[in-house]
Coordinates of all heavy atoms in Angstrom, one line a residue:
M17 N 6.4 13.9 11.3 CA 5.1 13.7 10.6 C 4.1 14.0 11.5 O 4.0 13.5 12.7 CB 5.1 12.3 10.0 CG 3.7 12.0 9.2 SD 3.9 10.6 8.4 CE 4.2 9.3 9.5
S18 N 3.1 14.8 11.3 CA 2.1 15.2 12.0 C 1.0 14.1 12.0 O 0.8 13.3 11.1 CB 1.4 16.5 11.6 OG 0.6 16.2 10.4
K19 N 0.2 14.0 13.2 CA -0.8 13.0 13.3 C -2.0 13.2 12.2 O -2.5 12.3 11.7 CB -1.5 13.1 14.7 CG -0.6 12.4 15.7 CD -1.1 12.6 17.1 CE -0.4 11.9 18.2 NZ -0.7 12.3 19.5
G20 N -2.1 14.5 12.0 CA -3.2 14.7 11.0 C -2.7 14.3 9.5 O -3.6 13.7 8.9
S21 N -1.5 14.2 9.2 CA -1.0 13.7 8.0 C -1.2 12.1 7.8 O -1.6 11.6 6.9 CB 0.5 14.2 7.8 OG 1.2 13.1 7.1
V22 N -1.0 11.5 9.1 CA -1.1 10.0 9.2 C -2.6 9.7 9.0 O -3.0 8.8 8.2 CB -0.7 9.5 10.5 CG1 -1.0 8.0 10.7 CG2 0.8 9.7 10.7
A23 N -3.5 10.4 9.7 CA -4.9 10.1 9.7 C -5.4 10.4 8.2 O -6.3 9.6 7.6 CB -5.7 11.0 10.7
R24 N -5.0 11.5 7.5 CA -5.4 11.7 6.2 C -5.1 10.7 5.2 O -5.9 10.3 4.4 CB -4.8 13.1 5.7 CG -5.6 13.8 4.8 CD -5.3 15.3 4.6 NE -3.9 15.5 4.6 CZ -3.2 16.3 5.5 NH1 -3.8 16.8 6.4 NH2 -1.9 16.6 5.3
R25 N -3.8 10.1 5.3 CA -3.3 9.1 4.4 C -4.0 7.8 4.7 O -4.4 7.1 3.8 CB -1.8 9.0 4.4 CG -1.2 10.1 3.6 CD 0.2 10.1 3.6 NE 0.9 11.0 2.7 CZ 0.9 12.3 3.0 NH1 0.6 12.8 4.2 NH2 1.4 13.1 2.1
A26 N -4.2 7.6 6.0 CA -5.0 6.3 6.3 C -6.4 6.3 5.7 O -6.9 5.4 5.2 CB -5.0 6.1 7.8
C27 N -7.1 7.5 5.8 CA -8.4 7.8 5.3 C -8.4 7.6 3.8 O -9.2 6.9 3.2 CB -8.8 9.1 5.7 SG -10.4 9.3 6.1
R28 N -7.4 8.1 3.1 CA -7.3 8.1 1.7 C -7.1 6.6 1.3 O -7.6 6.2 0.2 CB -6.3 8.9 1.1 CG -6.7 10.3 1.0 CD -5.5 11.2 0.6 NE -5.7 12.7 0.7 CZ -4.7 13.7 0.8 NH1 -3.6 13.2 0.7 NH2 -5.1 14.9 0.9
G29 N -6.3 5.9 2.1 CA -6.1 4.4 1.8 C -7.2 3.7 1.8 O -7.5 2.8 1.0
L30 N -8.1 3.9 2.8 CA -9.3 3.4 3.0 C -10.2 3.5 1.8 O -10.9 2.7 1.2 CB -10.0 3.6 4.4 CG -11.2 2.8 4.6 CD1 -11.0 1.4 4.7 CD2 -11.9 3.4 6.0
A31 N -10.3 4.8 1.4 CA -11.0 5.2 0.3 C -10.7 4.5 -1.0 O -11.5 4.0 -1.9 CB -11.1 6.7 0.0
L32 N -9.3 4.4 -1.2 CA -8.8 3.7 -2.3 C -9.1 2.2 -2.3 O -9.5 1.7 -3.4 CB -7.3 3.9 -2.3 CG -6.4 3.2 -3.3 CD1 -6.8 3.6 -4.7 CD2 -4.8 3.5 -3.2
W33 N -9.0 1.6 -1.1 CA -9.4 0.2 -1.0 C -10.8 -0.1 -1.4 O -11.0 -0.9 -2.0 CB -8.9 -0.3 0.5 CG -9.6 -1.7 0.6 CD1 -8.9 -2.9 0.2 CD2 -10.7 -2.1 1.2 NE1 -9.7 -3.9 0.6 CE2 -10.8 -3.4 1.3 CE3 -11.7 -1.3 1.8 CZ2 -11.9 -4.2 1.6 CZ3 -12.8 -2.0 2.4 CH2 -12.8 -3.4 2.3
R34 N -11.6 0.8 -0.9 CA -13.0 0.7 -1.1 C -13.3 0.7 -2.8 O -14.1 0.1 -3.2 CB -13.9 1.8 -0.5 CG -14.2 1.6 0.8 CD -15.2 2.6 1.3 NE -15.3 2.6 2.8 CZ -15.1 3.7 3.5 NH1 -14.8 4.8 2.9 NH2 -15.3 3.6 4.8
R35 N -12.6 1.7 -3.3 CA -12.9 1.9 -4.8 C -12.3 1.0 -5.7 O -12.8 0.5 -6.6 CB -12.4 3.4 -5.1 CG -13.0 3.9 -6.4 CD -13.1 5.4 -6.3 NE -11.8 6.1 -6.2 CZ -11.0 6.3 -7.2 NH1 -11.4 6.1 -8.5 NH2 -9.9 7.1 -7.0
L36 N -11.1 0.7 -5.3 CA -10.2 -0.2 -6.2 C -9.6 -1.4 -5.6 O -8.7 -2.0 -6.2 CB -9.1 0.6 -6.9 CG -9.5 1.9 -7.8 CD1 -8.3 2.8 -8.1 CD2 -10.2 1.5 -9.0
G37 N -10.0 -1.7 -4.5 CA -9.4 -2.9 -3.8 C -9.5 -4.2 -4.5 O -8.6 -5.0 -4.4
A38 N -10.5 -4.4 -5.4 CA -10.6 -5.5 -6.3 C -9.4 -5.6 -7.2 O -9.2 -6.8 -7.6 CB -11.9 -5.6 -7.0
E39 N -8.8 -4.5 -7.4 CA -7.6 -4.6 -8.4 C -6.3 -4.9 -7.6 O -5.3 -5.0 -8.3 CB -7.6 -3.4 -9.2 CG -8.7 -3.1 -10.1 CD -8.7 -1.8 -10.9 OE1 -7.5 -1.3 -11.2 OE2 -9.7 -1.3 -11.1
I40 N -6.3 -4.9 -6.3 CA -5.1 -5.2 -5.6 C -4.6 -6.7 -5.6 O -5.6 -7.5 -5.5 CB -5.1 -4.7 -4.1 CG1 -5.5 -3.2 -4.1 CG2 -3.9 -5.0 -3.4 CD1 -5.7 -2.7 -2.5
R41 N -3.4 -6.9 -6.0 CA -3.1 -8.3 -6.1 C -1.5 -8.6 -5.6 O -0.9 -7.5 -5.8 CB -3.3 -8.9 -7.4 CG -3.0 -8.1 -8.6 CD -3.4 -8.7 -10.0 NE -4.8 -9.0 -9.9 CZ -5.9 -8.2 -10.2 NH1 -5.7 -7.0 -10.5 NH2 -7.1 -8.8 -10.0
T42 N -1.2 -9.7 -5.3 CA 0.0 -10.0 -5.1 C 0.9 -10.1 -6.4 O 0.3 -10.4 -7.4 CB 0.2 -11.4 -4.3 OG1 -0.4 -12.4 -5.0 CG2 -0.3 -11.3 -3.0
T43 N 2.2 -9.8 -6.3 CA 3.0 -9.9 -7.6 C 4.0 -11.2 -7.4 O 4.3 -11.5 -6.2 CB 3.9 -8.6 -7.9 OG1 4.9 -8.5 -6.7 CG2 2.9 -7.4 -7.7
P44 N 4.3 -11.7 -8.5 CA 5.3 -12.9 -8.6 C 6.6 -12.5 -7.9 O 7.2 -13.3 -7.2 CB 5.6 -13.1 -10.0 CG 4.3 -12.6 -10.6 CD 4.0 -11.3 -9.9
A45 N 7.1 -11.2 -7.9 CA 8.2 -10.8 -7.3 C 8.1 -10.6 -5.8 O 9.2 -10.3 -5.2 CB 8.8 -9.5 -7.9
G46 N 6.9 -10.7 -5.3 CA 6.7 -10.5 -3.9 C 6.1 -9.1 -3.8 O 6.2 -8.1 -4.6
G47 N 5.4 -8.9 -2.6 CA 4.7 -7.5 -2.4 C 3.3 -7.6 -3.1 O 2.9 -8.6 -3.6
L48 N 2.8 -6.3 -3.2 CA 1.5 -6.2 -3.9 C 1.5 -5.1 -5.0 O 2.4 -4.2 -5.0 CB 0.6 -5.7 -2.7 CG 0.3 -6.7 -1.6 CD1 -0.5 -6.1 -0.5 CD2 -0.6 -7.9 -2.1
S49 N 0.7 -5.2 -6.0 CA 0.3 -4.2 -6.9 C -0.9 -3.5 -6.5 O -1.9 -4.2 -6.3 CB 0.3 -4.9 -8.2 OG -0.4 -4.1 -9.1
V50 N -0.8 -2.2 -6.2 CA -1.9 -1.3 -5.9 C -2.2 -0.3 -6.8 O -1.3 0.5 -7.3 CB -1.6 -0.6 -4.5 CG1 -2.7 0.2 -4.1 CG2 -1.3 -1.7 -3.4
P51 N -3.4 -0.2 -7.3 CA -3.8 0.7 -8.6 C -3.6 2.1 -8.0 O -3.9 2.6 -6.8 CB -5.2 0.3 -8.9 CG -5.7 -0.3 -7.6 CD -4.6 -1.0 -7.0
S52 N -3.2 3.0 -9.0 CA -3.2 4.5 -8.6 C -4.6 5.0 -8.8 O -5.4 4.5 -9.6 CB -2.3 5.1 -9.9 OG -2.6 6.5 -9.9
C53 N -4.9 6.0 -7.9 CA -6.3 6.5 -8.1 C -6.3 7.7 -9.0 O -7.4 8.0 -9.6 CB -6.9 7.1 -6.5 SG -5.7 7.3 -5.4
S54 N -5.3 8.4 -9.3 CA -5.2 9.5 -10.1 C -5.0 9.1 -11.6 O -5.4 9.8 -12.5 CB -4.2 10.6 -9.7 OG -3.0 10.0 -9.4
R55 N -4.2 7.9 -11.8 CA -3.9 7.5 -13.2 C -4.3 6.1 -13.5 O -3.8 5.2 -13.0 CB -2.3 7.6 -13.2 CG -1.7 8.9 -13.1 CD -0.2 8.7 -13.2 NE 0.5 9.9 -13.0 CZ 1.8 10.0 -13.1 NH1 2.5 9.0 -13.4 NH2 2.4 11.2 -12.9
P56 N -5.6 6.0 -14.1 CA -6.2 4.8 -14.4 C -5.2 3.9 -15.2 O -4.5 4.4 -16.0 CB -7.4 5.2 -15.3 CG -7.6 6.5 -15.0 CD -6.3 7.3 -14.7
G57 N -5.2 2.7 -14.9 CA -4.3 1.7 -15.6 C -3.0 1.6 -15.0 O -2.4 0.6 -15.2
R58 N -2.6 2.5 -14.2 CA -1.3 2.5 -13.6 C -1.4 1.9 -12.2 O -2.4 2.1 -11.5 CB -0.8 4.0 -13.5 CG 0.4 4.3 -12.7 CD 1.5 4.6 -13.7 NE 2.9 4.6 -13.0 CZ 3.7 5.7 -12.7 NH1 3.2 6.8 -13.1 NH2 4.8 5.4 -12.0
S59 N -0.3 1.2 -11.8 CA -0.3 0.7 -10.3 C 1.1 0.8 -9.8 O 2.0 1.1 -10.5 CB -0.8 -0.8 -10.5 OG 0.1 -1.5 -11.1
Y60 N 1.1 0.7 -8.5 CA 2.5 0.9 -7.8 C 2.8 -0.3 -7.0 O 1.9 -1.1 -6.5 CB 2.3 2.0 -6.8 CG 2.1 3.3 -7.4 CD1 0.9 3.9 -7.2 CD2 3.2 3.9 -8.2 CE1 0.8 5.3 -7.8 CE2 3.0 5.2 -8.7 CZ 1.7 5.8 -8.5 OH 1.6 7.1 -9.2
R61 N 4.1 -0.7 -7.0 CA 4.5 -1.9 -6.2 C 4.6 -1.5 -4.8 O 5.4 -0.6 -4.4 CB 5.8 -2.4 -6.7 CG 6.3 -3.5 -5.8 CD 6.9 -4.6 -6.7 NE 7.2 -5.7 -5.6 CZ 8.4 -5.7 -5.1 NH1 9.5 -5.2 -5.4 NH2 8.5 -6.7 -4.1
V62 N 3.8 -2.3 -4.0 CA 3.9 -1.9 -2.4 C 4.4 -3.3 -1.7 O 4.1 -4.3 -1.9 CB 2.4 -1.6 -2.0 CG1 2.5 -1.5 -0.5 CG2 2.0 -0.3 -2.6
S63 N 5.4 -2.8 -0.7 CA 5.9 -3.8 0.2 C 5.3 -3.6 1.5 O 5.1 -2.5 1.9 CB 7.4 -3.7 0.2 OG 7.8 -4.3 1.3
L64 N 5.0 -4.7 2.2 CA 4.5 -4.5 3.6 C 5.3 -4.8 4.6 O 5.2 -4.9 5.8 CB 3.1 -5.4 3.7 CG 1.9 -5.0 2.9 CD1 0.8 -6.0 3.1 CD2 1.5 -3.5 3.2
A65 N 6.7 -5.1 4.2 CA 7.7 -5.4 5.2 C 8.0 -4.1 5.9 O 8.0 -3.0 5.4 CB 9.1 -5.8 4.4
G66 N 8.3 -4.3 7.3 CA 8.5 -3.1 8.2 C 7.4 -2.2 8.2 O 6.2 -2.7 8.3
E67 N 7.4 -0.9 7.9 CA 6.3 -0.1 7.9 C 5.8 0.1 6.6 O 4.8 0.9 6.4 CB 6.7 1.4 8.4 CG 7.1 1.4 9.9 CD 7.3 2.9 10.5 OE1 7.1 3.8 9.7 OE2 7.4 3.0 11.6
G68 N 6.3 -0.6 5.6 CA 5.7 -0.5 4.1 C 6.6 0.4 3.4 O 7.1 1.4 3.8
R69 N 6.5 0.0 2.0 CA 7.4 0.8 1.0 C 6.4 1.0 -0.2 O 5.6 0.2 -0.5 CB 8.6 0.3 0.7 CG 9.6 0.1 1.6 CD 10.8 -0.6 1.2 NE 11.5 0.1 0.1 CZ 12.6 0.8 0.4 NH1 13.0 0.9 1.4 NH2 13.1 1.5 -0.7
C70 N 6.6 2.0 -1.0 CA 5.7 2.1 -2.2 C 6.5 2.8 -3.2 O 7.5 3.5 -2.9 CB 4.5 2.9 -1.9 SG 3.3 3.1 -3.3
G71 N 6.2 2.6 -4.5 CA 7.0 3.1 -5.6 C 6.4 4.5 -6.0 O 6.9 5.1 -6.9
C72 N 5.4 5.0 -5.2 CA 4.8 6.3 -5.7 C 5.6 7.6 -5.3 O 6.5 7.5 -4.4 CB 3.4 6.5 -5.2 SG 3.3 6.9 -3.5
A73 N 5.3 8.6 -5.9 CA 6.1 9.9 -5.6 C 6.0 10.3 -4.2 O 7.0 10.8 -3.5 CB 5.7 11.0 -6.4
D74 N 4.8 10.1 -3.5 CA 4.6 10.6 -2.3 C 5.5 9.8 -1.2 O 6.1 10.3 -0.4 CB 3.2 10.2 -1.8 CG 2.8 10.8 -0.4 OD1 3.2 11.9 -0.1 OD2 2.0 10.1 0.3
W75 N 5.6 8.4 -1.5 CA 6.4 7.7 -0.6 C 8.0 8.0 -0.8 O 8.7 8.1 0.1 CB 6.3 6.1 -0.9 CG 6.9 5.3 0.3 CD1 6.3 5.0 1.5 CD2 8.2 4.9 0.5 NE1 7.2 4.3 2.3 CE2 8.4 4.2 1.6 CE3 9.4 5.0 -0.4 CZ2 9.6 3.8 2.0 CZ3 10.6 4.5 0.0 CH2 10.6 3.8 1.2
R76 N 8.2 8.1 -2.1 CA 9.8 8.4 -2.4 C 10.2 9.7 -1.6 O 11.3 9.9 -1.3 CB 10.0 8.3 -3.9 CG 9.9 7.0 -4.5 CD 10.6 7.1 -5.8 NE 10.3 8.1 -6.7 CZ 9.2 7.9 -7.5 NH1 8.6 6.7 -7.6 NH2 8.9 8.7 -8.4
R77 N 9.3 10.6 -1.7 CA 9.5 12.0 -1.1 C 9.7 12.0 0.4 O 10.5 12.6 1.0 CB 8.5 13.0 -1.7 CG 8.9 14.4 -1.4 CD 8.0 15.5 -2.0 NE 6.5 15.1 -1.8 CZ 5.7 14.8 -2.6 NH1 5.9 14.7 -3.9 NH2 4.4 14.6 -2.3
R78 N 8.7 11.3 1.0 CA 8.6 11.3 2.5 C 9.0 10.1 3.2 O 9.3 10.2 4.5 CB 7.1 11.5 2.9 CG 6.4 12.9 2.2 CD 4.9 12.8 2.4 NE 4.5 12.5 3.8 CZ 3.8 11.4 4.0 NH1 3.7 10.4 3.1 NH2 3.5 11.0 5.2
K79 N 9.2 8.9 2.7 CA 9.6 7.7 3.3 C 8.8 7.4 4.4 O 9.1 6.9 5.4 CB 11.1 7.8 3.7 CG 12.1 8.1 2.5 CD 12.4 7.0 1.6 CE 13.5 7.2 0.8 NZ 13.2 8.3 -0.4
E80 N 7.5 7.6 4.2 CA 6.4 7.3 5.2 C 5.4 6.6 4.5 O 5.1 6.9 3.4 CB 5.9 8.6 5.9 CG 6.9 9.4 6.6 CD 7.3 8.9 8.0 OE1 6.5 8.0 8.4 OE2 8.2 9.4 8.7
P81 N 4.5 5.8 5.3 CA 3.4 5.1 4.6 C 2.5 6.2 3.9 O 2.0 7.0 4.4 CB 2.8 4.3 5.7 CG 3.9 4.2 6.7 CD 4.7 5.5 6.7
C82 N 2.1 5.8 2.6 CA 1.2 6.4 1.8 C -0.1 5.8 1.8 O -0.2 4.8 2.3 CB 1.9 6.7 0.3 SG 2.1 5.0 -0.4
K83 N -1.0 6.4 0.9 CA -2.3 5.8 0.9 C -2.3 4.4 0.2 O -3.0 3.6 0.7 CB -3.3 6.7 0.0 CG -2.8 6.9 -1.4 CD -3.6 8.0 -2.0 CE -3.1 8.5 -3.3 NZ -3.7 9.8 -3.9
H84 N -1.3 4.2 -0.7 CA -1.2 2.7 -1.2 C -0.8 1.8 -0.3 O -1.3 0.6 -0.3 CB -0.3 2.9 -2.4 CG -0.4 3.8 -3.4 ND1 0.4 5.1 -3.4 CD2 -1.5 4.2 -4.2 CE1 -0.1 6.0 -4.3 NE2 -1.2 5.4 -4.8
V85 N 0.1 2.1 0.7 CA 0.4 1.3 1.8 C -0.8 1.0 2.6 O -1.1 -0.2 3.0 CB 1.7 1.7 2.6 CG1 1.8 1.0 3.9 CG2 2.9 1.9 1.7
Y86 N -1.6 2.0 3.0 CA -2.7 1.8 3.8 C -3.7 0.9 3.2 O -4.4 0.0 3.7 CB -3.3 3.1 4.2 CG -2.5 3.9 5.4 CD1 -1.7 5.0 5.0 CD2 -2.3 3.2 6.6 CE1 -1.0 5.6 6.1 CE2 -1.6 4.0 7.5 CZ -0.9 5.0 7.3 OH -0.2 5.6 8.2
A87 N -4.0 1.1 1.8 CA -4.9 0.3 1.1 C -4.5 -1.0 1.1 O -5.3 -2.0 1.3 CB -5.0 0.9 -0.3
A88 N -3.1 -1.2 0.9 CA -2.6 -2.7 0.8 C -2.8 -3.3 2.2 O -3.0 -4.6 2.3 CB -1.1 -2.6 0.4
L89 N -2.6 -2.5 3.4 CA -2.8 -3.2 4.6 C -4.2 -3.5 4.8 O -4.4 -4.6 5.5 CB -2.3 -2.1 5.7 CG -0.9 -2.0 5.9 CD1 -0.6 -0.6 6.6 CD2 -0.2 -3.2 6.5
V90 N -5.1 -2.8 4.4 CA -6.6 -3.2 4.6 C -6.8 -4.5 3.8 O -7.4 -5.5 4.3 CB -7.5 -2.1 4.1 CG1 -9.0 -2.5 4.1 CG2 -7.4 -0.7 5.0
W91 N -6.3 -4.5 2.6 CA -6.6 -5.6 1.7 C -5.8 -6.8 2.3 O -6.6 -7.9 2.4 CB -5.8 -5.3 0.3 CG -6.1 -6.4 -0.7 CD1 -7.1 -6.5 -1.6 CD2 -5.1 -7.6 -0.9 NE1 -6.9 -7.7 -2.4 CE2 -5.7 -8.3 -2.0 CE3 -3.9 -8.0 -0.2 CZ2 -5.1 -9.5 -2.4 CZ3 -3.4 -9.1 -0.8 CH2 -4.0 -9.9 -1.8
A92 N -4.7 -6.7 2.7 CA -4.0 -7.9 3.4 C -4.7 -8.4 4.7 O -4.8 -9.6 4.9 CB -2.5 -7.6 3.6
A93 N -5.2 -7.5 5.5 CA -5.9 -7.8 6.7 C -7.1 -8.6 6.4 O -7.4 -9.6 7.1 CB -6.2 -6.5 7.5
K94 N -7.8 -8.0 5.3 CA -9.1 -8.7 4.9 C -8.7 -10.1 4.4 O -9.5 -11.0 4.6 CB -9.7 -7.8 3.8 CG -10.3 -6.6 4.4 CD -11.6 -6.8 4.9 CE -12.3 -5.5 5.2 NZ -13.5 -5.7 6.0
R95 N -7.6 -10.2 3.8 CA -7.2 -11.6 3.2 C -6.6 -12.5 4.3 O -6.3 -13.7 4.0 CB -6.4 -11.4 2.0 CG -7.1 -10.6 0.8 CD -7.8 -11.5 0.0 NE -7.0 -12.6 -0.5 CZ -6.7 -12.7 -1.8 NH1 -7.2 -11.8 -2.7 NH2 -5.9 -13.7 -2.3
R96 N -6.2 -11.9 5.4 CA -5.5 -12.6 6.4 C -4.2 -13.2 6.0 O -3.9 -14.3 6.3 CB -6.6 -13.8 7.0 CG -7.7 -13.3 7.6 CD -8.5 -14.5 7.9 NE -9.9 -14.0 8.5 CZ -10.2 -13.7 9.8 NH1 -9.3 -13.8 10.6 NH2 -11.4 -13.2 10.1
V97 N -3.6 -12.5 5.1 CA -2.3 -13.0 4.6 C -1.1 -12.1 4.9 O -0.1 -12.1 4.4 CB -2.3 -13.3 3.0 CG1 -3.2 -14.4 2.8 CG2 -2.7 -12.0 2.3
A98 N -1.4 -10.8 5.7 CA -0.5 -10.0 5.9 C 0.9 -10.6 6.5 O 1.9 -10.2 6.0 CB -1.1 -8.8 6.9
L99 N 0.7 -11.5 7.4 CA 1.9 -12.0 8.0 C 2.7 -12.8 7.0 O 4.0 -12.8 7.0 CB 1.6 -12.8 9.3 CG 1.1 -12.0 10.5 CD1 0.7 -13.0 11.7 CD2 2.4 -11.2 11.0
R100 N 2.0 -13.6 6.2 CA 2.7 -14.4 5.3 C 3.4 -13.6 4.2 O 4.5 -14.0 3.9 CB 1.7 -15.4 4.5 CG 2.3 -16.7 4.2 CD 1.2 -17.7 3.8 NE 0.3 -17.2 2.6 CZ -0.9 -17.5 2.4 NH1 -1.5 -18.2 3.3 NH2 -1.6 -17.1 1.2
I101 N 2.9 -12.5 3.8 CA 3.5 -11.7 2.9 C 4.7 -11.0 3.5 O 5.8 -11.1 2.9 CB 2.5 -10.5 2.3 CG1 1.4 -11.1 1.6 CG2 3.3 -9.5 1.6 CD1 0.2 -10.2 1.2
A102 N 4.6 -10.6 4.7 CA 5.8 -9.9 5.4 C 6.9 -10.9 5.5 O 8.1 -10.6 5.3 CB 5.3 -9.5 6.7
E103 N 6.5 -12.2 5.9 CA 7.5 -13.3 6.0 C 8.3 -13.5 4.7 O 9.5 -13.6 4.7 CB 6.8 -14.6 6.5 CG 6.5 -14.6 7.9 CD 7.6 -14.3 8.9 OE1 8.7 -14.7 8.5 OE2 7.4 -13.7 9.9
S104 N 7.5 -13.7 3.6 CA 8.2 -14.0 2.4 C 9.1 -12.8 1.8 O 10.2 -13.0 1.2 CB 7.0 -14.1 1.3 OG 6.4 -13.1 1.0
E105 N 8.6 -11.5 2.1 CA 9.5 -10.4 1.8 C 10.7 -10.3 2.6 O 11.8 -10.0 2.1 CB 8.6 -9.1 2.0 CG 7.6 -8.9 1.0 CD 6.8 -7.6 1.2 OE1 6.9 -7.0 2.1 OE2 6.4 -7.2 0.1
R106 N 10.6 -10.8 4.0 CA 11.9 -10.8 4.6 C 12.9 -11.8 4.1 O 14.0 -11.5 4.2 CB 11.5 -11.0 6.2 CG 12.4 -10.5 7.2 CD 11.9 -10.7 8.6 NE 10.6 -10.0 8.7 CZ 9.7 -10.5 9.5 NH1 9.7 -11.7 10.0 NH2 8.4 -9.9 9.5
V107 N 12.3 -12.9 3.6 CA 13.2 -14.0 3.2 C 13.8 -13.4 1.8 O 15.1 -13.6 1.5 CB 12.4 -15.2 2.9 CG1 13.3 -16.2 2.0 CG2 12.0 -15.8 4.1
A108 N 13.0 -12.7 1.0 CA 13.5 -12.2 -0.2 C 14.5 -11.1 -0.2 O 15.4 -10.9 -1.0 CB 12.2 -11.7 -1.2
A109 N 14.4 -10.2 1.0 CA 15.3 -9.0 1.2 C 16.7 -9.4 1.4 O 17.0 -10.4 2.0 CB 14.6 -8.2 2.2
Ligands
ZN7 ZN1 2.2 5.1 -2.6

Protein backbone atom coordinates (compact mmCIF):
# COMPACT_ATOMS: atom_id res chain seq x y z
CA MET A 1 0.00 0.00 0.00
CA SER A 2 1.40 3.40 -0.96
CA LYS A 3 1.75 6.21 1.55
CA GLY A 4 -0.45 8.37 -0.67
CA SER A 5 -3.27 5.87 -0.39
CA VAL A 6 -3.03 5.86 3.43
CA ALA A 7 -3.01 9.67 3.60
CA ARG A 8 -5.95 9.91 1.20
CA ARG A 9 -8.07 7.50 3.23
CA ALA A 10 -7.11 9.13 6.54
CA CYS A 11 -8.13 12.47 5.02
CA ARG A 12 -11.46 11.07 3.77
CA GLY A 13 -12.03 9.50 7.18
CA LEU A 14 -11.53 12.86 8.87
CA ALA A 15 -13.95 14.48 6.39
CA LEU A 16 -16.50 11.71 7.05
CA TRP A 17 -16.14 12.18 10.81
CA ARG A 18 -16.64 15.96 10.42
CA ARG A 19 -19.76 15.53 8.30
CA LEU A 20 -21.43 12.48 9.85
CA GLY A 21 -19.53 11.86 13.09
CA ALA A 22 -22.65 12.57 15.15
CA GLU A 23 -24.18 9.40 13.64
CA ILE A 24 -21.30 7.12 14.67
CA ARG A 25 -22.27 4.87 17.58
CA THR A 26 -21.33 1.69 19.34
CA THR A 27 -23.37 -1.41 18.52
CA PRO A 28 -24.72 -3.99 20.99
CA ALA A 29 -22.73 -6.70 19.18
CA GLY A 30 -19.47 -4.76 19.75
CA GLY A 31 -17.63 -2.41 17.43
CA LEU A 32 -19.08 0.70 15.86
CA SER A 33 -21.68 1.67 13.31
CA VAL A 34 -20.26 4.24 10.85
CA PRO A 35 -22.52 5.92 8.26
CA SER A 36 -21.80 5.58 4.54
CA CYS A 37 -21.00 8.89 2.84
CA SER A 38 -22.23 7.83 -0.59
CA ARG A 39 -25.41 6.03 0.48
CA PRO A 40 -27.60 8.01 2.90
CA GLY A 41 -29.21 5.88 5.59
CA ARG A 42 -26.70 3.08 5.13
CA SER A 43 -23.97 2.32 7.66
CA TYR A 44 -21.08 -0.09 8.03
CA ARG A 45 -20.00 -2.13 11.02
CA VAL A 46 -16.46 -1.18 11.98
CA SER A 47 -14.19 -3.04 14.39
CA LEU A 48 -11.23 -1.25 15.96
CA ALA A 49 -9.47 -4.44 17.04
CA GLY A 50 -5.98 -4.72 15.55
CA GLU A 51 -5.68 -2.36 12.55
CA GLY A 52 -9.45 -2.23 12.20
CA ARG A 53 -12.00 -3.94 9.97
CA CYS A 54 -15.00 -2.69 8.04
CA GLY A 55 -17.91 -4.18 6.15
CA CYS A 56 -17.51 -1.88 3.12
CA ALA A 57 -16.37 -2.96 -0.34
CA ASP A 58 -13.11 -0.99 -0.06
CA TRP A 59 -12.02 -2.87 3.08
CA ARG A 60 -13.15 -6.26 1.75
CA ARG A 61 -11.13 -5.69 -1.42
CA ARG A 62 -7.95 -4.32 0.16
CA LYS A 63 -8.01 -5.60 3.78
CA GLU A 64 -6.52 -2.25 4.78
CA PRO A 65 -8.04 0.50 6.94
CA CYS A 66 -10.67 2.43 4.94
CA LYS A 67 -12.16 5.88 5.56
CA HIS A 68 -14.79 4.35 7.89
CA VAL A 69 -12.05 2.87 10.09
CA TYR A 70 -10.27 6.26 10.20
CA ALA A 71 -13.54 8.07 10.98
CA ALA A 72 -14.21 5.54 13.77
CA LEU A 73 -10.69 6.08 15.15
CA VAL A 74 -11.21 9.85 15.31
CA TRP A 75 -14.58 9.33 16.97
CA ALA A 76 -13.19 6.86 19.50
CA ALA A 77 -10.17 9.02 20.29
CA LYS A 78 -12.49 11.97 20.87
CA ARG A 79 -14.63 9.84 23.15
CA ARG A 80 -11.58 8.40 24.92
CA VAL A 81 -13.05 4.93 24.66
CA ALA A 82 -10.79 3.46 21.96
CA LEU A 83 -8.98 1.16 24.38
CA ARG A 84 -12.16 -0.02 26.06
CA ILE A 85 -13.72 -0.87 22.69
CA ALA A 86 -10.62 -2.74 21.55
CA GLU A 87 -10.55 -4.67 24.84
CA SER A 88 -14.20 -5.73 24.60
CA GLU A 89 -13.69 -6.85 20.97
CA ARG A 90 -10.68 -8.93 21.97
CA VAL A 91 -12.83 -10.67 24.58
CA ALA A 92 -15.63 -11.22 22.06
CA ALA A 93 -13.34 -12.54 19.29
ZN1 LIG B 1 -15.11 0.99 5.23
